[in-house]
Amino acid sequence: MATMSEGRRQTQPRSSSSGRETSLWSSGFGMKLEAVTPFLGKYRPFVGRCCQTCTPKSWESLFHRSITDLGFCSVILVKEENTRFRGWLVRRLCYFLWSLEQHIPPCQDAPQKIVESTRVQNLLSARVPGGAGEGQAPDLVKKEVQRILGHIQASPRPFLVRLFSWALLRFLNCLFLNVQLHKGQMKMVQKAAQAGSPLVLLSTHKTLLDGILLPFMLLSQGLGVLRVAWDSRACSPALRVLLRKLGGLFLPPEANLSLDSSEGLLARAVVQAVIEQLLVSGQPLLIFLEEPPESPGPRLSALGQAWLGFVVQAVQVGIVPDALLVPVAVTYDLVPDALCDIYNASAPLGLRTGALVVLRSLWSHWGCSRRICSRVHLAQPFSLQEYIVSARSCWGGRQTLEQLLQPIVLGQCTAVPDTEKEQEWTPITGPLLALKEEDQLLVRRLSCHVLSASVESAAVMSTAIMATLLLFKHQKGVFLSQLLGEFSWLTEEILLRGFDVGFSGQLRSLLKHSLSLLRAHVALLRIRQGDLLVVLRPGPGLTQLARLSAELLPVFLSEAVGACAVRGLLAGRVPPQGPWELQGILLLSQNELYRQILLLMHLLPQDLLLLKPCQSSYCYCQEVLDRLIQCGLLVAEETPGSRSACDTGRQRLSRKLLWKPSGDFTDSDSDDFEEAEGRYFRLSQQSHCPDFFLFLCRLLSPLLKAFAQAAAFLHQGQLPDTESGYTEQLFQFLQATAQEEGIFECADPKLAISAIWTFRDLGVLQQMPSPAGPRLHLSPTFASRENQEKLEQFIRQFICS
């Protein structure tokens, strides 16, 4: 502590310094802070409306302006009023009585209906020796179907569901301060459930707790037992048995076999029959479209796409007329360390390991105030049938990243092709391969669309705001009194951009709560005049803060892309460390800005941007430019030597105005690029602009710096190598660079994987088959040091130091 404060001499031993720090945390910072409730009484956006382009009819239904005023509730807050009984004994047994009163619909004879389904019967009759379609299938074949069905699901046990709900309620109240849910969002979902179409919840995935918390929430709101599609690789056989009895679903391993395999055909037919039976019976289904943050691999889940493919196929063949899709997002202040360790473990999670995780979580929060908060967001349901009909009109031609960017990186051309980028990192599994190519494309783009909607509707938690401020604005330390104003400012900026926050309350309580959760990464130092200095602890812990701050990136992503594009445009004109006034003198044409934005868009992974398939690159460029103007960073300038835009005396108003509406883009607007040649901008000279511009650029700096370091590592890496081996090489290089330069937020294995996959798409790395498996090779084009330096220079132009 003493070595981190220049104004304090080290006159006391370390133990005394540690004791002072502990007293600061326990005493609520030891200073009087202003107790006000900012921002929340002014404006609270209702987020989560469905896409008006793809599903306009759904956008108008299931929503009424009055539901935005219904407020929030905590789903784990169960009191005497939540039961039918009253009295002092009820107040002590309310959790148990509440679990007994939950309505669990009786389970029908689903296994027999699945075996008798047309798809399964056709396969069974085809496997009868000596006949096709006649007679009964042998007992051996029927037993095979029963075995596959037993691997997929089991009938939920009402007693076990109630017992588990009671134990989970006690566990959640020990771990969480609250689990907030908007009553208006729940009312939308309840109204959709009453419409007659089955509900399919498509969720983000932050931790294993999501698959337990969401079924508990829907059961408490009267929607019955939620069937959860789990990953069988992450669970031991004993845990799979328990989860199946609680309503879980597991994809059998035979479903991923080749298309001509009889076992694979039978397994996929049984899974399809199970999904059809669930949809016909009206049971809600939960599918995770996102891989957990701690797991290596692409963001979009291959398993989630496989399950969604079964749902799409059931609607297309008419088993059910329609299904309502509900994007879901779950956010936490901080995922408990015990839950994070689950994904780092090499062995699947078992019952014993799960019990130890629960005990560790309870022990770490026992007797202390460091309980976390959570927010569950349910977006507006939309019709799958409507999306299938309308979404196909949005499909157009696409090119690979190598076709789009490699000639520009090497200086062979300057024009950016007017087409979209094709980038698919999620592998296609057997169930998805069994669909037609057009349906595969439909499922992949629907997954991206829904995941984008879920991420955009997710609430921003207080720890994400605190981590962003400390990491990207005040790495060298900040006074707590100044942090109060910064926290309030950033929260208002989030709300004004149409995003919601997952907290409320007084500034003092919010800061104490968020800093106490981040106490492993920050230190508090008492200085003169009663103020406190908040200082980051240097080291690998900054990587955790960078992951927390990434939750804020969707809010400012458009502005961050625009700021980095402007930085790339200024890179060759003014010195990087030049004064802001000098940079503000230069005129920036709209065509140049469009080009830089497109280059950065193509470089950034699709897993980060999550652009909706119905949104073109031109629309996104216009949105980025509009955001930069709205936030005050860019100021429009008239064409040099031309008449002022407001001088309409000698020109037609409809043709010569400087601006056009940017909300409606049709084919007739294709000449906007030509008209944009006369539009110019400058950087605003307002006092807040330099700091805000730097803040926006730093939001993308961990990813861009990791890419730049990966380009610099090309001549040091040992190639050829397997993908996992080269990822480990690059990660060790990022760690070594972090130790030298102190940029620990770049030393993330997921950033290393993202850089390698981007370079593979760009044609820098090539994956070649070998007897030992696929291996990465350095492409001949980038074997020369000159082209490697061109690649690094291309990436570094977007980085603002």
Side-chain angles (χ1 to χ4, degrees):
M1 285 287 297
T3 58
M4 300 175 65
S5 176
E6 296 179 359
R8 181 189 299 268
R9 295 182 179 271
Q10 188 174 357
T11 58
Q12 295 182 356
R14 181 181 299 270
S15 60
S16 176
S17 176
S18 176
R20 286 197 304 271
E21 181 181 347
T22 304
S23 65
L24 288 176
W25 288 108
S26 60
S27 63
F29 305 145
M31 60 178 296
K32 185 176 181 180
L33 304 179
E34 183 183 4
V36 296
T37 305
F39 41 77
L40 294 185
K42 301 177 183 178
Y43 174 68
R44 194 70 180 263
F46 186 84
V47 298
R49 300 296 301 274
C50 63
C51 180
Q52 196 171 8
T53 302
C54 299
T55 52
K57 294 181 181 179
S58 300
W59 190 84
E60 296 176 357
S61 64
L62 302 176
F63 177 80
H64 191 272
R65 186 61 59 184
S66 61
I67 68 176
T68 62
D69 303 324
L70 293 180
F72 293 86
C73 67
S74 179
V75 296
I76 63 173
L77 182 61
V78 175
K79 296 182 179 180
E80 177 185 5
E81 291 78 10
N82 300 105
T83 67
R84 295 179 298 165
F85 309 98
R86 296 294 181 267
W88 66 271
L89 185 60
V90 175
R91 287 192 290 272
R92 286 156 178 80
L93 300 177
C94 58
Y95 288 1
F96 179 72
L97 295 174
W98 172 87
S99 62
L100 292 179
E101 293 180 356
Q102 297 308 304
H103 174 66
I104 300 177
C107 182
Q108 303 173 355
D109 189 17
Q112 186 64 27
K113 292 182 179 180
I114 292 170
V115 175
E116 295 174 355
S117 66
T118 304
R119 187 184 300 270
V120 175
Q121 284 296 318
N122 289 339
L123 285 175
L124 290 180
S125 59
R127 297 180 67 174
V128 176
E134 296 183 0
Q136 296 295 324
D139 293 339
L140 186 62
V141 181
K142 283 189 174 182
K143 289 181 179 180
E144 178 68 12
V145 174
Q146 295 290 348
R147 185 192 67 80
I148 296 175
L149 185 58
H151 188 284
I152 299 172
Q153 69 166 5
S155 300
R157 307 294 176 87
F159 172 76
L160 190 60
V161 171
R162 290 190 173 94
L163 180 63
F164 188 79
S165 299
W166 167 75
L168 183 62
L169 184 59
R170 299 194 66 88
F171 170 71
L172 294 177
N173 275 277
C174 293
L175 190 63
F176 291 95
L177 283 172
N178 53 62
V179 179
Q180 294 291 330
L181 173 67
H182 197 287
K183 297 178 182 178
Q185 296 171 357
M186 194 67 242
K187 187 174 182 180
M188 280 196 307
V189 176
Q190 290 173 341
K191 185 178 178 181
Q194 296 170 1
S197 298
L199 292 178
V200 180
L201 282 72
L202 305 173
S203 176
T204 60
H205 201 183
K206 298 299 182 185
T207 174
L208 189 68
L209 192 60
D210 297 345
I212 301 175
L213 179 61
L214 289 173
F216 170 82
M217 182 201 68
L218 262 69
L219 180 65
S220 66
Q221 301 300 316
L223 291 179
V225 179
L226 179 64
R227 310 304 295 269
V228 183
W230 292 93
D231 187 356
S232 58
R233 298 169 301 177
C235 305
S236 67
L239 184 58
R240 289 200 295 266
V241 171
L242 174 62
L243 292 177
R244 275 194 288 265
K245 293 180 180 179
L246 294 174
L249 301 173
F250 293 91
L251 193 67
E254 296 87 353
N256 289 314
L257 296 177
S258 60
L259 299 182
D260 56 354
S261 170
S262 58
E263 291 82 2
L265 288 172
L266 182 60
R268 286 188 288 269
V270 174
V271 176
Q272 184 67 45
V274 169
I275 294 298
E276 292 173 357
Q277 178 61 30
L278 288 179
L279 296 178
V280 169
S281 62
Q283 300 180 62
L285 174 64
L286 172 63
I287 299 173
F288 291 108
L289 289 182
E290 187 181 32
E291 292 287 353
E294 300 294 333
S295 63
R299 186 171 187 177
L300 273 171
S301 170
L303 180 64
Q305 288 186 352
W307 284 108
L308 183 57
F310 290 120
V311 176
V312 171
Q313 194 173 5
V315 173
Q316 284 185 322
V317 298
I319 299 298
V320 289
D322 197 5
L324 294 178
L325 306 184
V326 186
V328 181
V330 185
T331 53
Y332 303 91
D333 276 336
L334 197 67
V335 178
D337 295 335
L339 298 177
C340 292
D341 294 340
I342 293 176
Y343 298 107
N344 296 329
S346 57
L349 178 65
L351 289 177
R352 180 180 178 183
T353 309
L356 292 177
V357 167
V358 171
L359 292 177
R360 280 187 57 191
S361 301
L362 293 177
W363 177 259
S364 61
H365 294 81
W366 185 267
C368 69
S369 59
R370 293 178 59 197
R371 291 190 295 170
I372 58 179
C373 300
S374 179
R375 171 78 180 275
V376 180
H377 181 89
L378 303 173
Q380 183 181 7
F382 65 92
S383 166
L384 175 57
Q385 186 66 47
E386 182 185 9
Y387 181 87
I388 292 174
V389 173
S390 62
R392 298 185 190 273
S393 61
C394 300
W395 297 354
R398 293 172 179 255
Q399 291 184 356
T400 64
L401 186 61
E402 183 177 357
Q403 296 171 326
L404 290 172
L405 272 192
Q406 190 182 101
I408 300 175
V409 170
L410 299 178
Q412 298 173 355
C413 71
T414 57
V416 184
D418 186 16
T419 184
E420 307 298 320
K421 177 179 67 173
E422 181 67 31
Q423 189 177 58
E424 292 291 342
W425 287 354
T426 304
I428 301 179
T429 56
L432 202 58
L433 281 174
L435 302 179
K436 295 184 294 185
E437 186 175 352
E438 186 180 8
D439 293 335
Q440 294 178 24
L441 184 61
L442 172 66
V443 172
R444 292 202 302 266
R445 296 193 175 177
L446 174 60
S447 304
C448 184
H449 199 296
V450 175
L451 183 58
S452 175
S454 300
V455 171
E456 287 179 356
S457 61
V460 180
M461 307 304 286
S462 61
T463 48
I465 295 178
M466 186 62 64
T468 303
L469 289 174
L470 295 177
L471 194 61
F472 298 128
K473 284 183 72 70
H474 306 291
Q475 274 202 0
K476 296 183 179 180
V478 58
F479 293 115
L480 193 59
S481 56
Q482 181 183 356
L483 198 57
L484 289 171
E486 297 272 3
F487 190 93
S488 178
W489 161 77
L490 192 52
T491 304
E492 290 182 352
E493 292 291 333
I494 293 170
L495 296 174
L496 289 175
R497 281 163 175 78
F499 288 77
D500 202 1
V501 293
F503 56 86
S504 62
Q506 298 177 344
L507 272 177
R508 171 175 178 162
S509 300
L510 289 174
L511 261 70
K512 180 181 178 181
H513 172 72
S514 55
L515 286 175
S516 63
L517 291 177
L518 300 177
R519 64 187 302 174
H521 312 297
V522 299
L524 296 181
L525 307 177
R526 187 186 298 277
I527 60 173
R528 295 190 301 268
Q529 300 177 354
D531 205 347
L532 293 178
L533 183 66
V534 183
V535 181
L536 286 177
R537 300 182 190 270
L542 296 182
T543 304
Q544 179 65 26
L545 291 183
R547 291 181 180 177
L548 280 174
S549 65
E551 298 178 7
L552 201 68
L553 188 56
V555 181
F556 297 96
L557 184 57
S558 298
E559 290 99 321
V561 169
C564 292
V566 171
R567 179 71 198 97
L569 197 57
L570 296 175
R573 303 185 183 183
V574 295
Q577 304 298 334
W580 182 260
E581 294 77 9
L582 178 60
Q583 300 181 20
I585 296 176
L586 298 177
L587 286 179
L588 310 175
S589 72
Q590 184 164 328
N591 272 348
E592 293 175 327
L593 288 170
Y594 277 159
R595 180 181 180 275
Q596 289 297 118
I597 293 171
L598 282 173
L599 290 178
L600 185 55
M601 276 179 55
H602 294 328
L603 177 65
L604 295 176
Q606 176 63 20
D607 280 5
L608 174 71
L609 291 175
L610 287 180
L611 293 182
K612 295 179 180 178
C614 58
Q615 185 179 23
S616 66
S617 297
Y618 174 76
C619 291
Y620 188 75
C621 288
Q622 191 66 43
E623 177 187 338
V624 169
L625 195 57
D626 290 344
R627 290 289 187 91
L628 291 179
I629 296 171
Q630 291 170 7
C631 69
L633 285 179
L634 287 184
V635 179
E637 289 285 335
E638 304 297 336
T639 306
S642 66
R643 186 187 296 110
S644 173
C646 60
D647 184 6
T648 59
R650 298 184 181 181
Q651 55 187 346
R652 291 190 177 183
L653 188 64
S654 61
R655 294 179 62 86
K656 298 297 183 180
L657 272 182
L658 184 62
W659 301 114
K660 281 189 176 181
S662 61
D664 182 22
F665 296 97
T666 60
D667 293 337
S668 62
D669 297 320
S670 59
D671 59 339
D672 278 0
F673 278 104
E674 298 177 2
E675 297 183 7
E677 292 180 358
R679 301 177 187 172
Y680 287 82
F681 304 89
R682 334 177 160 262
L683 289 175
S684 174
Q685 298 300 307
Q686 297 182 23
S687 58
H688 73 280
C689 287
D691 289 339
F692 189 51
F693 181 83
L694 187 61
F695 169 74
L696 293 175
C697 290
R698 285 177 174 172
L699 289 177
L700 287 174
S701 62
L703 177 69
L704 292 175
K705 288 180 180 178
F707 279 19
Q709 293 177 18
F713 180 67
L714 288 175
H715 71 281
Q716 302 181 27
Q718 301 297 321
L719 288 173
D721 196 356
T722 61
E723 183 178 292
S724 59
Y726 190 69
T727 301
E728 183 63 27
Q729 289 186 49
L730 178 58
F731 179 54
Q732 291 178 1
F733 176 76
L734 293 178
Q735 286 182 314
T737 306
Q739 294 290 344
E740 296 175 2
E741 302 179 2
I743 312 177
F744 290 95
E745 57 268 25
C746 303
D748 192 332
K750 291 193 72 72
L751 294 181
I753 295 174
S754 182
I756 290 175
W757 288 350
T758 301
F759 286 2
R760 185 185 59 193
D761 294 343
L762 188 56
V764 179
L765 300 173
Q766 294 178 345
Q767 196 166 31
M768 308 291 289
S770 70
R775 298 177 72 85
L776 289 177
H777 296 252
L778 188 62
S779 69
T781 305
F782 287 89
S784 67
R785 188 66 182 274
E786 180 184 0
N787 287 344
Q788 295 175 9
E789 291 176 353
K790 287 181 180 179
L791 175 62
E792 183 179 359
Q793 184 179 3
F794 174 80
I795 298 172
R796 289 196 179 277
Q797 67 175 325
F798 301 110
I799 301 175
C800 189
S801 58

